[in-house]
DNA sequence: TAATGAAGTTAGACTAATCTAACAAATAAA
DNA sequence: TTTATTTGTTAGATTAGTCTAACTTCATTA
């Protein structure tokens, strides 16, 4: 059985390595994500290596083992299922679910996860549009771009957000955006890449930073 | 903010003191309930005294302060609401809910508790028949006896169990008993206090120990 | 290729929660 | 009332997770 902290390291490691090509991470990178000092990460890596959850040599890069990746996916599965529960059943708002799910994801009970999955009718995506790993650890990889990659005149559909922080999500709502909304790019300012977009007939101007955190698909 | 462990001490303290007349507890008593050594309890009591959650003098008895009692009731409220959720919504069985609720009760989110309460339509009792404290910390005290106190020929209604352990609860189910069942005491064996009872027309024989762990009311 | 800065490691310390073993106080029994 | 037993306390040690400060290795670039 892993501690709460160990689980968080695996989850963070999965996040930084997943889809990064090499699947490798560095000590500082992990430390900044977990908001601890590199020294602390270093100590923990020794422990995780001992438990065969990470591959790691002194001064080398860090990767998850199969075993470590499996556990990370289970935690992400729990996190996203709980987010879905909070949003769909308890009427939490979009920006409130993450923080509580951070706690709920560590509850240990295989039965609970399965029952929750069933209760929610086996959802494929969480409220932020992120795919929920299956019981077997399969994760749906959606072909998606960021809004900032869409060119003038084109339309797309918002499918997820990259940044899960409360301030960003509240801002997204304020702009009138939500999952599955159609977005049309009307114009892009040359100078600062500010984007004029249209959602449900309503126009808004968003910054490049904003557009980089909205995931879309072209239909 | 309290640690997981501190919360467990307050909850245990509430359990041993509540309704015990004096509302006092001893170090050994607490230690055995929490399955730690008396020395450990002693250390923790100093910390809880520092935080003004318990009243306690060296070699004296332990009592909860108003503040400590309030927190204990909040934890019990969460525990029982989660038990109700697991039982009613996720189809957990009677004997499985306690263990998972032991973890869920420590999730920190005022909003979550309120939303869960609403989602469950403000239940008054958990699956074991124990009253759920209100948001204000009010707890319904039900006038109840144990089955062992009922005399021959009398009838009563089961309202709760005293022992929440899985083996006991499974045994209760096996005997054909459940919350709100009518029980008629047909006879009591003089020698060992074995009880012959009738539930829904079905007869069963139960031990005194068993009967002491079933709470009933006389209508 | 040697200097410099970034990345990573080590040693030593701290806190929380626990233990064991020895001791002290209170209470019950002789 | 003295002794024995139960109950409670203290001191010192351990483990997990964290820190700071000093050090080492790696990588870039002049």
């Amino acid at each position: 059985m892993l501690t709460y902290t160990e689980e968080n390291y695996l989850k963070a490691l999965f996040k930084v390595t997943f889809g990064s090509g090499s699947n490798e991470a560095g000590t500082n990178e992990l430390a900044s994500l977990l908001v601890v000092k590199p020294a602390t990460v270093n100590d923990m890596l020794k422990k995780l290596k001992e438990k065969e959850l990470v591959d790691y040599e002194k001064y080398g890069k860090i990767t998850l083992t199969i075993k470590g990746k499996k556990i990370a996916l289970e935690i992400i599965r729990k996190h996203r299922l709980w987010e879905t529960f909070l949003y769909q059943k308890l009427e939490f708002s979009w920006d409130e679910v993450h923080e509580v799910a951070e706690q709920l994801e560590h509850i240990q009970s295989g039965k609970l996860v399965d029952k929750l999955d069933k209760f929610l009718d086996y959802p494929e995506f969480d409220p932020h549009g992120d795919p929920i790993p299956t019981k077997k650890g399969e994760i749906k990889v959606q072909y998606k771009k960021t809004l900032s990659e869409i060119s003038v005149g084109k339309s797309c559909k918002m499918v997820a957000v990259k940044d899960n922080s409360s301030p960003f999500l509240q801002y997204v709502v304020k702009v009138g955006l939500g999952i599955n909304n159609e977005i049309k790019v009307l114009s892009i300012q040359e100078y600062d890449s500010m984007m004029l977009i249209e959602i449900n007939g309503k126009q808004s101007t968003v910054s490049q930073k904003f557009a980089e955190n909205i995931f879309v698909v072209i239909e």
Side-chain angles (χ1 to χ4, degrees), chain A residues 82-94 97 127:
Chain A
W82 278 117
E83 282 194 341
T84 307
F85 169 72
L86 295 173
Y87 184 74
Q88 284 185 8
K89 303 291 181 181
L90 298 196
E91 302 174 302
F92 270 63
S93 66
W94 212 27
V97 297

Side-chain angles (χ1 to χ4, degrees), chain A residues 148-160:
Chain A
S148 58
E149 294 172 85
I150 307 303
S151 38
V152 176
K154 301 274 180 191
S155 282
C156 56
K157 187 176 80 171
M158 172 169 172
V159 291

Side-chain angles (χ1 to χ4, degrees), chain A residues 1-20:
Chain A
M1 198 87 308
L2 300 182
T3 65
Y4 184 109
T5 313
E6 287 168 333
E7 289 194 347
N8 277 137
Y9 275 81
L10 294 180
K11 191 179 58 154
L13 209 32
F14 183 84
K15 280 190 182 167
V16 287
T17 58
F18 185 66
S20 75

Side-chain angles (χ1 to χ4, degrees), chain A residues 126-142:
Chain A
D126 75 12
H128 306 115
D130 294 315
I132 299 172
T134 65
K135 195 177 175 179
K136 287 178 186 165
E138 293 151 347
I139 190 162
K140 196 162 282 188
V141 183
Q142 215 179 359

